[in-house]
Each structure stands twice: as C-alpha cells, then as structure tokens.
Amino acid sequence: MDKIIINGGQTKLEGQVEIEGAKNAVLPLLAATILPSEGETVLCNVPILSDVYTMNAVIKHLNIPLIFDEAKKSVRTQAATDVAIEAPYEYVSKMRASIVVLGPILARNGHARVSMPGGCTIGSRPIDLHIRGLQAMGAEITQNGGFIEAKATELHGAHFYMDFPSVGATQNIMMAATLAKGTMVLENAAREPEIVDLANLLNKMGADVKGAGTDTIIIKGVEKMHGTSHSVVQDRIEAGTFMVAAAITQGNVLILDAVREHNRPLLSKLSEMGVAIIQEEDGIRIIGPDTLKPVTVKTLPHPGFPTDMQAQMTAAQAIAKGESVMIETVFENRFQHLEEMRRMGLSVDISRNTANIQGSSHFSGAEVRSTDLRASAALILLGMVADGTTTVGNLKHLDRGYYKFHEKLASLGADIKRIHLEGQDDV
C-alpha cells in the first residue's frame, strides 16, 4: 500500500512542468487499434498509467499483438486477422472506459461480447446511449450474465440523435460506423478535444470522419482500415490540475505546451478568481494571487467547464475569500471528496448537485482517503496549502490518471513524498 505525505502551509510552486498524453484520449485510441485489418499502428506520447496497462491487456486478449515501450512512451500493435469477440470481466471491471472496445469488436467481427464496465464510483454513468446507437446501426443487443452481447450481420449507417453528448458513446459509435455500410450521422455528439484526436487517428487509418469537434459528426463507412502512426494529444485535465496547483499556492508555473483552447473554461474561471494567465511561446504561465476571489462554477459537457476538473477546482474555492458555489450537472455522485476535505477544516453545505463552499485561509493537515481519480489530486492540492501534514491514501485512483504526480509537484517546490507501507490495507 502506498500513501502520499504532504507537508503544507508555505509552499509557492515555481518552475515548469511537462504534461503527459491524455488518459481520456489514449484509451479510445487503443480501442481503435482493433479496426485495422492490415499494417502496424504506432501510438506515441502514451501516458504510463494503470488504465493504459489495463486497456493494453484487453487489446492483447483480443489476439492483437501489442508492445508497450515505457521508455519511449509508445504502443505498437499489429493488425490481426482473427480478432477475439470477448473482453472479459477481469479487465473491463477495473475501468469503465473499456466499454469503447464494444463498437470496434462488433465492426470487425459482427459479434462482440463485453463485460459490464467498472471504474470510479462517481455515479451510475449508464451505457444506454452506446447500446441505442449500435442498435440504430442494425445491431442486436442482449444483456445477461454481466455481459453485453452485440450481433450484426451487417452494420449500416443511420441518423442517431444522442439525448446527452456522452463522450464514450460518441467514441463507440464513431468507431463502429467506420466499417459500416453507408453513412452515419451522429447528432448532439460530444465535442471534447479527445473526440477530435480519435477522429484524426481514424482518418489516418483510412476512415472518413467529418465534423469531429462539432455537435454533428458524419462517418462514411469504408471497406477496410490500415495501420498508421499517431501522437496522443496533451492531457488537458493534468494541465488544468497543475494550473490550479499554481493558483492556490501563489505560485508561478509554466505549463509546457498547454493548449489554451482546450482549457478555456478553466482559464476563464481562474482569471475570475484573480489568477494571472500569460500565454508564452512554450506554454501557459499561471501566477497565483495573494488572495483568490470566490467564484461560481457549473460543470457541463464540452465546451463547458469539465467535470474532471470539478474536484480540483473545489480546492481553489476552499481557500478563496468568501462563498463559492460548485454545481455538478454531469455526474450525480461526485462530491465525495468534499467529505474528506471536511476532515481538513472545509466548511461546505451540500444540497443535491450544489455545494456552497465557505472559503478559509486556515486548513489543517489530516489523514484522508481518495474516493476517485480526480478527488485524489484535489486532496493533494488542498494538502499543499493546509498547515501541518496531510496523508492521502487509496492511491489506486490517482495512478489511473496521473504519472509521477508527486515527483512533478516536488520538482516545483512542494514538500511531498510517496511511501510504501508493507502489510497494510488502504484506509
């Protein structure tokens, strides 16, 4: 069992930080390697995360040769002629994003059997849109024994309107449609940068995808796809996490190669709080003020404020002078970290999807437990400004989305270390 220990209170982060490839992009990109029937696919700038190892295991289980070179941060896959149909529980249960293999397996085989997904406990996150989109393309879907089974003699294009712009469903339907007969029109599609990154890879593989990044994506089916090379887009959530870290510590940090357009909602709110944001040739510089101003934030699908930055942003709201409001509209169970922050002195009133946070300049270190991926980072951030020592446990969530997070913070001046305790369970 590992824990992160932070001695907080006086740290002002300074320096520059390099950001990894995006977790939320690389997982569907890996799923897309199922689609080519010839050639080699090389993914570069692959983040070294536990979720990547899990997805790699899924791909290998499907009979697709895969080599992960951690030193080069690259994944190489060879097109397989005989793709297996089943993604088993032992892998998919660890990570909800594994469901995005359903569409590619179905497109290659006409038959897919994927275990019901698992992952962070931040809400039910139903997969009905994935299923309905594939059904619109002619798939027959059954659910039994903890598996989703999809069959189709031939997938065909369709006109499908999504009730909600689900990222995972958009990715699944896009990939399935690449090898379908005819044209797929996907309306109210997700618009995240990770959707654009996936479309770019698919097009390099020979697909015909247009409109990614808008609410209408048009996919014209092709007969076959081939291998290619592609570099994973930067992780805007990791970049945003370090932006908040600089802001709350009165720091001065250059986020290397950060993309303003990808982080616009966060940057707008940080600016509202009094944070200086400077676009430089090498990235975006964040300079935290002496005192943060309170702010109201509402999470929304892209291009709104990202739900994956909600927890980290509450750490900034916690130390702002005055009352801030956080409204979570994407997931119904994503305030668990606030209960852990209460142990450090947070004053918050939670009513359904709204948290009214009373800002304070006085927090005390405590032993806290990560409840999900982004909560892990948020607790570490608050620990940096709390007096005394904060210990963060249950780091399996952190490792799903951040690579050497404590080392990067330490390089910026944080008093932080990660320790391993033998023979103990996470608390």
Side-chain angles (χ1 to χ4, degrees), residues 254-304:
L254 177 64
I255 318 297
L256 291 170
D257 301 318
V259 182
R260 179 178 286 269
E261 191 60 35
H262 292 180
N263 293 283
R264 190 174 297 279
L266 172 63
L267 291 171
S268 175
K269 287 300 176 181
L270 289 178
S271 179
E272 197 175 326
M273 298 181 84
V275 177
I277 299 162
I278 304 169
Q279 182 71 57
E280 298 186 2
E281 183 178 350
D282 295 333
I284 297 175
R285 183 172 299 279
I286 303 295
I287 303 175
D290 291 339
T291 304
L292 288 169
K293 300 174 185 177
V295 69
T296 295
V297 177
K298 183 178 183 179
T299 66
L300 290 165
H302 192 79

Side-chain angles (χ1 to χ4, degrees), residues 71-293:
K72 294 182 179 179
K73 296 184 180 179
S74 69
V75 169
R76 291 179 176 269
T77 64
Q78 293 289 339
T81 55
D82 183 22
V83 175
I85 67 166
E86 183 174 306
Y89 175 80
E90 64 179 296
Y91 302 129
V92 182
S93 62
K94 297 178 182 179
M95 184 180 66
R96 182 165 293 268
S98 302
I99 191 65
V100 295
V101 301
L102 180 63
I105 296 173
L106 179 62
R108 280 296 307 271
N109 289 330
H111 188 190
R113 193 167 184 265
V114 177
S115 175
M116 291 291 287
C120 289
T121 56
I122 57 173
S124 60
R125 300 199 281 188
I127 58 170
D128 60 306
L129 285 173
H130 300 247
I131 293 171
R132 285 168 48 206
L134 295 176
Q135 286 175 328
M137 299 169 67
E140 294 182 5
I141 310 287
T142 56
Q143 297 182 57
N144 55 71
F147 280 83
I148 303 165
E149 192 158 4
K151 294 181 180 180
T153 303
E154 182 179 70
L155 290 174
H156 57 76
H159 198 118
F160 184 66
Y161 178 86
M162 299 178 66
D163 297 333
F164 178 83
S166 161
V167 174
T170 298
Q171 293 164 337
N172 233 337
I173 296 166
M174 280 173 60
M175 287 189 280
T178 58
L179 293 174
K181 190 175 183 64
T183 300
M184 184 76 191
V185 179
L186 188 57
E187 286 195 286
N188 198 31
R191 299 162 59 183
E192 276 76 358
E194 294 80 15
I195 298 293
V196 177
D197 203 36
L198 175 59
N200 289 339
L201 172 64
L202 294 174
N203 286 334
K204 288 179 181 179
M205 289 177 163
D208 186 347
V209 181
K210 293 182 173 63
T214 75
D215 61 2
T216 302
I217 301 176
I218 300 172
I219 309 106
K220 293 182 180 179
V222 297
E223 287 194 8
K224 64 179 181 178
M225 294 169 66
H226 54 75
T228 188
S229 60
H230 182 78
S231 183
V232 182
V233 71
Q234 187 187 82
D235 195 322
R236 62 193 171 99
I237 305 302
E238 186 192 5
T241 302
F242 279 98
M243 290 175 183
V244 173
I248 67 175
T249 61
Q250 301 174 19
N252 185 334
V253 177
L254 177 64
I255 318 297
L256 291 170
D257 301 318
V259 182
R260 179 178 286 269
E261 191 60 35
H262 292 180
N263 293 283
R264 190 174 297 279
L266 172 63
L267 291 171
S268 175
K269 287 300 176 181
L270 289 178
S271 179
E272 197 175 326
M273 298 181 84
V275 177
I277 299 162
I278 304 169
Q279 182 71 57
E280 298 186 2
E281 183 178 350
D282 295 333
I284 297 175
R285 183 172 299 279
I286 303 295
I287 303 175
D290 291 339
T291 304
L292 288 169
K293 300 174 185 177

